[in-house]
Amino acid sequence: DGGITQSPKYLFRKEGQNVTLSCEQNLNHDAMYWYRQDPGQGLRLIYYSQIVNDFQKGDIAEGYSVSREKKESFPLTVTSAQKNPTAFYLCASSIVRGGRTGELFFGEGSRLTVL
Amino acid sequence: GESVGLHLPTLSVQEGDNSIINCAYSNSASDYFIWYKQESGKGPQFIIDIRSNMDKRQGQRVTVLLNKTVKHLSLQIAATQPGDSAVYFCAEIPNSGGSNYKLTFGKGTLLTVNP
């Protein structure tokens, strides 16, 4: 089955630790995204990538880092510099040209809790 | 409507009734709009999209209406079912004809369907 796989589903972190959230897609999509969702809030864009080895900051990139070494993978690292990292993190992918470019395919999310 | 703090706008309907979920947008350059459905603990799923050269678009049991004059978007769900219970987000893309395909999401509306 084609889709987006995020892991882990739940993650606990102590303050001061970096953590990396995994996102893999087998949809052959060029674009990938990371969003953060807080209770009762919409989705806020952290980083996005249109092509391998290139990525751009979204609206709330501070305290986060990403890499795009492979088309299928777009891991997100939540660093100790992120002041309020407890949230639900969603990875998504999409085509770049043609069709419904607004149609993002989302993973099931990773819930990060800082203890 | 606008959400305040952690409280989403909510809509409660009886099974079988029609639902109307509203969304206001502020960016006059937005020319492509999408509705997403997010069930509890999952990632959002695409429902329907509409481009700014249209006023109305219909899907299966859903209709999206766009009023560019007042920057308003609505999602109508016919014969609402318990499985429609979810948070619904509108999203917009400004200048979508170019290379921009970065979505901005609204805060969402919680739809509860009572049996």
Side-chain angles (χ1 to χ4, degrees):
Chain A
D1 276 12
I4 306 269
T5 301
Q6 288 187 241
S7 64
K9 194 170 178 68
Y10 299 95
L11 185 61
F12 298 89
R13 184 193 99 173
K14 293 182 181 179
E15 282 192 32
Q17 287 181 334
N18 293 355
V19 292
T20 297
L21 308 180
S22 170
C23 179
E24 303 279 331
Q25 56 101 357
N26 59 6
L27 299 168
N28 199 33
H29 286 166
D30 286 309
M32 296 188 74
Y33 312 77
W34 275 104
Y35 285 89
R36 170 180 171 141
Q37 187 174 30
D38 294 286
Q41 299 293 309
L43 282 69
R44 292 184 291 168
L45 184 63
I46 304 172
Y47 269 98
Y48 65 106
S49 168
Q50 302 177 30
I51 196 168
V52 174
N53 292 322
D54 188 42
F55 47 83
Q56 289 78 40
K57 292 182 179 180
D59 301 317
I60 55 165
E62 185 175 350
Y64 300 98
S65 66
V66 292
S67 63
R68 188 86 186 277
E69 296 176 2
K70 298 187 300 181
K71 187 176 185 177
E72 302 79 21
S73 179
F74 192 42
L76 173 74
T77 297
V78 184
T79 75
S80 57
Q82 169 49 233
K83 298 305 178 190
N84 185 21
T86 295
F88 189 51
Y89 290 89
L90 286 159
C91 179
S93 70
S94 75
I95 60 173
V96 171
R97 289 271 182 259
R100 300 192 292 216
T101 55
E103 183 174 8
L104 271 58
F105 291 78
F106 283 89
E108 295 273 288
S110 294
R111 189 168 297 281
L112 172 64
T113 303
V114 174
L115 304 172
Chain B
E2 292 291 322
S3 64
V4 178
L6 300 180
H7 303 288
L8 284 174
T10 58
L11 176 65
S12 184
V13 301
Q14 290 299 123
E15 182 177 358
D17 287 352
N18 296 335
S19 303
I20 300 176
I21 301 169
N22 296 303
C23 177
Y25 66 95
S26 57
N27 191 341
S28 299
S30 291
D31 55 6
Y32 181 38
F33 305 88
I34 311 100
W35 281 98
Y36 280 85
K37 172 187 180 183
Q38 186 178 25
E39 297 177 10
S40 181
K42 295 187 176 182
Q45 287 182 297
F46 175 97
I47 302 173
I48 191 168
D49 59 354
I50 187 168
R51 297 201 175 271
S52 59
N53 60 354
M54 301 173 71
D55 298 322
K56 177 179 179 180
R57 189 156 190 234
Q58 288 185 293
Q60 187 176 11
R61 277 202 310 119
V62 295
T63 301
V64 56
L65 299 178
L66 175 63
N67 185 331
K68 296 180 286 294
T69 303
V70 295
K71 298 192 184 68
H72 184 267
L73 195 65
S74 68
L75 178 71
Q76 301 179 2
I77 305 174
T80 314
Q81 302 167 0
D84 294 327
S85 293
V87 177
Y88 289 82
F89 293 98
C90 61
E92 60 187 293
I93 301 179
N95 305 312
S96 65
S99 60
N100 180 33
Y101 46 94
K102 193 176 90 171
L103 275 70
T104 298
F105 284 82
K107 287 185 166 53
T109 296
L110 174 62
L111 174 66
T112 302
V113 181
N114 302 309

